[in-house]
Every structure is written in C-alpha cells, then in structure tokens.
Amino acid sequence: MNSRVNQDIMGIASMNATINNNRKLLKDGKRKPFTKSLGGYNKNTNYKPYAMPEVRPHVLRRIRIMTRRANRRLLIRQLLIGGSVAIVMIYWFFF
C-alpha cells in the first residue's frame, strides 16, 4: 500500500514539474504556444486562394447528371453484390 502511494505522489510531482518547465519556457520567449498543433498558430504564409473559373450552367447540369448516374450504378452494384452475399450466407447458415 505504501509503495502505491509513493508512485502516485511521484507521478503527480513529475506532472507538476513538466507544467512548471513549460510555463518557464513560455515566459522566457523560448517557446511559442500552439506551433505544433494542427495547422499551426499565427503562421505567416503567402497563401493565395484558388479562383475557380466560371462555368456555364449547362456544363454544371451535365456534370450533375453524370454524377447521379454514376452514383446510381454504384448503389445498384453494391446492392446486388451485398444481396447475393447475404443470400449465400443465409443459405450456408441455415441449410
């Protein structure tokens, strides 16, 4: 029981030491916060957003129709394959 208490105290002490060291680094200016997180923090980049070209409505309509057809074909294919696998598994399981 005594050794477990000592381990818990040592764990808490090491966490406190880590927090204090990080605070000292922030105060000295040696470390900037959130620089290694997703996307960074206060990044200075020469980012120019991509300007999409103008597209005529009939081209967009054609793309929409083609995408719907492709999605419908994919759905039908998935249903056929899934249904056939399910039928085979049910037949194998019950008979």
Side-chain angles (χ1 to χ4, degrees):
M1 181 76 179
N2 230 357
S3 63
R4 176 137 176 114
V5 172
N6 287 339
Q7 288 175 352
D8 289 341
I9 292 172
M10 294 299 291
I12 293 171
S14 64
M15 286 188 274
N16 286 335
T18 303
I19 291 171
N20 288 333
N21 288 335
N22 286 341
R23 282 187 186 143
K24 287 176 188 175
L25 287 174
L26 285 174
K27 285 180 184 175
D28 295 340
K30 294 180 182 176
R31 180 177 168 267
K32 292 182 181 179
F34 306 118
T35 53
K36 294 183 180 178
S37 63
L38 293 175
Y41 178 77
N42 201 9
K43 275 188 176 178
N44 294 329
T45 58
N46 296 331
Y47 173 73
K48 293 181 182 178
Y50 179 73
M52 294 292 290
E54 291 294 322
V55 181
R56 294 186 178 177
H58 70 278
V59 175
L60 289 176
R61 193 175 306 117
R62 217 178 313 150
I63 292 172
R64 187 181 316 122
I65 291 169
M66 287 174 22
T67 307
R68 284 182 182 167
R69 281 185 191 160
N71 286 341
R72 190 177 304 128
R73 286 182 191 143
L74 181 64
L75 177 65
I76 291 170
R77 190 177 303 138
Q78 288 175 342
L79 288 175
L80 288 175
I81 292 173
S84 61
V85 168
I87 289 172
V88 169
M89 292 297 288
I90 290 172
Y91 179 78
W92 181 73
F93 186 69
F94 286 114
F95 299 107

